[in-house]
Amino acid sequence: MTKTIAYVLYPGLTALDLVGPLTVTATLGPEFQSVTVAHDLSTVDSDTALRVAATTTFGELTNPYAVVVPGGTSGTLAACADETLLDWIRTASAGAEVTASVCTGSLILGAAGLLEGRRATTHWGFRELLARFGATPVVERWVEDGSIVTAAGVSAGIDMALHLVHRFAGEDAARLAQLVIEYDPEPPFGGIDWSSVDYAAFAPLTQAVLAESLADHPELLARLTR
Amino acid sequence: MTKTIAYVLYPGLTALDLVGPLTVTATLGPEFQSVTVAHDLSTVDSDTALRVAATTTFGELTNPYAVVVPGGTSGTLAACADETLLDWIRTASAGAEVTASVCTGSLILGAAGLLEGRRATTHWGFRELLARFGATPVVERWVEDGSIVTAAGVSAGIDMALHLVHRFAGEDAARLAQLVIEYDPEPPFGGIDWSSVDYAAFAPLTQAVLAESLADHPELLARLTR
């Protein structure tokens, strides 16, 4: 039976969180298929100037082999209060080999109750929020804790997906995926100098996003900001 | 006046070629806007399990500040024979500060006549084809030749886009973009070992894609395979 890797799509997601890993796992052989799954097949806004639509619906897809949840900002926080979406993730996760997230997608896993007692990561600007869901925030590119695999911000999903391909199909498959997408990074200014990041300067931005996005969900807002 | 960075969208494109750089340039300040542009706003298939739609049309968008053309395989070759699309790119490019491509998007620039006498690159599996359009193929992550900037395969668009942000708005803007998308790459097996790549094994695949995709365009097929 084909093993389905299901990428959860919702309005306002960060497209790169989904497209990076999707492009990696799509290189897997015919034993696997990578799909996008949403409430319905309608075209929705992402958080950049690209509109996106899924290839299947929550109702049509049961028992995926793996689930990958992308992040974003206000759209992701709204998804944290979408009980139908959370229920689908919980059910799918129970039978899945891996449930993964990219960036703030881990907040959705947290809202679904899947991070209790787990080591996990997310975008650097939201990392401490993971503790509000019972997780231990970890500063790594991606974190594997049993069946739960969480990646850091946005582009970290590509590195995590290469690890997933390794886990699912071996090192040769992961190296082929890397070659196909020519992932031989050369950031013009090298890697990020984390010692120079002024985290405190970004904290009010995170708080503002939370307050604005969760105005209609006071319980979740209180949980994340108390 | 707002400077518009226009990402060309067409059926069958490699979504990551577009979404990588789009996510980078979307972090630029309000002096810039990043949009997606296509024949119309309909939702089309990409080359993975994500359907995509643009935010504006060729008819609506004139005089962009920059144009970015993503690649793909059969969809990209079909676009190389789409005269309306090529005309729009030619006209837009004439007034643009930069015309850029990711992966095999450079073949579209070539088909539009924009690579004559230029140094350029593309996905490693298609690199030699650039000579058929009068370009000099170069083995670099991205190549800047005046207003024409071409990136290597798929993920190279992220590195190129960071360079474009540097060119358009300075180093601080590029470093901020990198931080926002947390681009601090850690490929699980390190970079690509190019000395181990069996290029000859992939050549028949490239030829098969060309023959199948350009069956209805014998002149272009002959130009690329003679």
Side-chain angles (χ1 to χ4, degrees), chain A residues 71-93:
Chain A
T73 52
S74 57
T76 304
L77 291 161
C80 285
D82 177 342
E83 287 301 330
T84 308
L85 182 147
L86 296 179
D87 278 343
W88 186 87
I89 291 174
R90 266 184 221 108
T91 304
S93 180

Side-chain angles (χ1 to χ4, degrees), chain A residues 6-51:
Chain A
Y7 289 83
V8 176
L9 187 151
Y10 55 85
L13 87 172
T14 295
L16 185 50
D17 289 12
L18 186 155
V19 171
L22 171 64
T23 309
V24 171
T25 63
T27 67
L28 280 161
E31 190 189 350
F32 296 87
Q33 65 171 348
S34 294
V35 305
T36 45
V37 60
H39 282 296
D40 55 49
L41 303 185
S42 62
T43 303
V44 300
D45 289 338
S46 71
D47 74 350
T48 48
L50 180 73
R51 298 180 303 130

Side-chain angles (χ1 to χ4, degrees), chain A residues 66-69 93 97-103 105-106 109 114-115 118-122 141-152 156-157 159-161 163-164 167-168:
Chain A
V67 176
V68 183
V69 181
S93 180
E97 168 75 14
V98 163
T99 302
S101 64
V102 179
C103 195
S106 54
L109 298 191
L114 299 174
L115 296 186
R118 303 271 191 172
R119 299 169 69 249
T121 196
T122 188
R141 190 71 175 155
W142 48 266
V143 175
E144 183 169 67
D145 189 338
S147 67
I148 303 289
V149 184
T150 51
D159 294 322
M160 180 192 75
H163 165 69
L164 293 181
R167 175 169 169 165
F168 297 162

Side-chain angles (χ1 to χ4, degrees), chain A residues 188-189, chain B residues 28 160-174:
Chain A
F189 301 105
Chain B
L28 280 161
M160 181 191 75
L162 289 167
H163 166 69
L164 292 181
V165 169
H166 180 209
R167 175 168 169 165
F168 297 162
E171 180 173 334
D172 285 353

Side-chain angles (χ1 to χ4, degrees), chain B residues 71-123:
Chain B
T73 53
S74 57
T76 305
L77 290 160
C80 284
D82 178 342
E83 287 301 330
T84 308
L85 182 146
L86 296 178
D87 277 345
W88 186 87
I89 291 174
R90 266 183 220 108
T91 304
S93 179
E97 169 74 14
V98 162
T99 302
S101 64
V102 179
C103 196
T104 54
S106 54
L107 302 180
I108 298 177
L109 299 191
L114 299 173
L115 296 186
E116 275 301 332
R118 303 272 191 170
R119 299 170 69 250
T121 198
T122 188
H123 190 281

